[in-house]
Amino acid sequence: MDTDRAPDEGTQRARASDTTSRRTAGTLALYAMFGCLGYLLASFGSILPELREERGLPRAEAALYPSAFALGLVVIGLIGPRLAERLGRYALPTALTALVGGAALLAAAGGRLGTAAGALIFGLGGAGLVQLVPAALRAAHHGDGTVQIGEANAVASAASVLSPILIGAALAHDLGWHTAFVLPPLTAAALLLLLARTSIHTLTPSKTTPADPPAGAAVGGGGGWVFWGWWGDLVLAVGVEFCMVFWAADFLGSVKGFGAGSAATLSAAFVLGMAVGRAAAGPVVRVAGRPERLLVVAAFVGIAGFAVLWTSPAPVAVGGLLLAGLGVALLYPVILGQALAAWASQPVRAAARCALASGVAIGVAPPLLGTLADLTTLRAAVLVAPALLTVLLVRCGWRLRATA
């Protein structure tokens, strides 16, 4: 009997491996959705100096617009699982529509209220994608999803490189930021909803994913200590990333002396570094083995990049921004993959809690940096980012020693 079963088990393992590695049309659609999100998030950093100038805002108040996005993440983190269950196969199209619709409202609105409302709707849609896309990738590939999440984030990072370049070019030619901000993702989302409608509607994250959870992982409704440990790390990683995404252009302009167009364009160095790092996510994760070891190395590289950025003159500082992006690149996808794997029995709920972590990070770290910049200088305030990265490094180093 054992001999008869062996070929079937081998066939099942081969099919599972093929399903895990194969990129279906649905997988590519999920990657494209993250691309729209990445473009718009990076655009926020490029347009913040222009918003400040248009409205006469201090940095602390300008940072409230990204905080509206963070509020959307918090809302989805709290009610997302029930909302996703009610929407079913329409959850992903709804999230994508809210993302680009909110961005369009933000660009078109002339007053503070309309801009804040657009940012909030944009945040709700983006948070929905943050919740649903990783869970859908895990469900589609029957694994921990780390490689696929890394590839999705690589697409988002590649798209985020494009947005500062387009906005910088528009500003350099006195065309304003509005069209370059909203038109590319709006067009991409419309094509996705029209041409990939069948693939999108079949992508529904499963409520449960069969898996053997690690020791200490959650098997019920509240999450286990392993999950919440990774959740805290996710807050730190996202805080570092978005401090730089939102404030890099202002730092290059105000501290390093670049013009508005050049600062917006060169701020793409950070997201370019992230794109390169995340494009290599698959092989790097496989070679590194233990995620803690990879995270320690990545944090060291990020801190080195920040040191170059902070201490060097203008041309070299851009190289430091690139190096910082390269180090920060793998923090989010690796930590997210570990957090989802730690609560494998409830992937949608785990993803919603991770969206909540992103909301907390984006709602606290960039506004804190902006407030400190108003109270002191932007040069001093930007040290918030490497400080968060140092805390993450210590936590990962402790975890690595504890499990050695």
Side-chain angles (χ1 to χ4, degrees):
M1 296 294 293
D2 291 341
T3 304
D4 293 337
R5 281 199 304 268
D8 292 337
E9 292 171 356
T11 300
Q12 290 173 359
R13 284 194 298 270
R15 287 175 178 172
S17 176
D18 178 67
T19 303
T20 301
S21 60
R22 186 161 45 90
R23 297 173 184 83
T24 63
T27 301
L28 297 178
L30 292 170
Y31 289 0
M33 292 180 194
F34 250 31
C36 292
L37 177 59
Y39 182 98
L40 288 169
L41 284 178
S43 298
F44 251 122
S46 299
I47 69 174
L48 272 183
E50 303 308 311
L51 279 175
R52 287 181 55 224
E53 185 175 346
E54 285 181 6
R55 314 287 163 80
L57 304 176
R59 288 188 175 93
E61 187 173 346
L64 294 178
Y65 292 125
S67 294
F69 168 70
L71 178 60
L73 285 167
V74 172
V75 170
I76 292 298
L78 295 174
I79 68 171
R82 292 189 297 274
L83 185 60
E85 183 177 353
R86 178 164 296 184
L87 290 173
R89 66 193 185 99
Y90 296 104
L92 279 165
T94 300
L96 182 62
T97 301
L99 175 79
V100 296
L105 177 59
L106 187 153
R112 294 181 178 181
L113 182 60
T115 303
L120 178 59
I121 296 170
F122 162 74
L124 291 170
L129 293 181
V130 169
Q131 172 194 328
L132 295 169
V133 169
L137 287 171
R138 279 180 49 80
H141 293 274
H142 307 290
D144 66 10
T146 298
V147 172
Q148 286 76 29
I149 291 170
E151 290 177 344
N153 278 276
V155 172
S157 296
S160 67
V161 172
L162 184 62
S163 61
I165 295 174
L166 292 181
I167 292 173
L171 292 174
H173 291 85
D174 297 323
L175 298 176
W177 58 268
H178 303 79
T179 301
F181 171 70
V182 75
L183 186 59
L186 186 63
T187 303
L191 290 174
L192 269 175
L193 292 172
L194 291 174
L195 302 179
R197 180 168 48 190
T198 302
S199 297
I200 293 175
H201 282 314
T202 59
L203 296 169
T204 304
S206 61
K207 296 178 186 178
T208 60
T209 299
D212 295 325
V219 293
W225 59 267
V226 172
F227 171 80
W228 289 108
W230 287 114
W231 188 93
D233 292 342
L234 198 63
V235 172
L236 295 171
V238 173
V240 172
E241 182 174 329
F242 280 88
C243 278
M244 299 314 299
V245 166
F246 290 154
W247 293 112
D250 200 356
F251 182 84
L252 291 178
S254 301
V255 177
K256 299 300 178 179
F258 290 101
S262 297
T265 300
L266 292 173
S267 69
F270 181 75
V271 288
L272 176 60
M274 290 202 301
V276 172
R278 287 174 177 173
V284 169
V285 168
R286 295 186 190 100
V287 170
R290 295 184 60 184
E292 295 88 352
R293 184 179 297 112
L294 176 58
L295 291 171
V296 166
V297 173
F300 267 121
V301 173
I303 290 172
F306 281 116
V308 175
L309 171 67
W310 201 75
T311 60
S312 301
V316 182
V318 176
L321 193 60
L322 177 70
L323 184 61
L326 187 64
V328 170
L330 292 181
L331 297 179
Y332 175 78
V334 171
I335 294 172
L336 179 60
Q338 294 303 307
L340 294 177
W343 201 353
S345 62
Q346 296 287 338
V348 174
R349 184 171 295 179
R353 296 299 179 265
C354 290
L356 178 61
S358 296
V360 170
I362 298 170
V364 173
L368 174 63
L369 195 158
T371 301
L372 290 176
D374 286 336
L375 295 174
T376 58
T377 64
L378 184 57
R379 177 179 170 80
V382 80
L383 293 176
V384 167
L388 294 175
L389 197 55
T390 301
V391 175
L392 178 61
L393 173 62
V394 171
R395 283 180 53 82
C396 292
W398 174 83
R399 189 185 285 118
L400 188 61
R401 289 194 301 270
T403 57

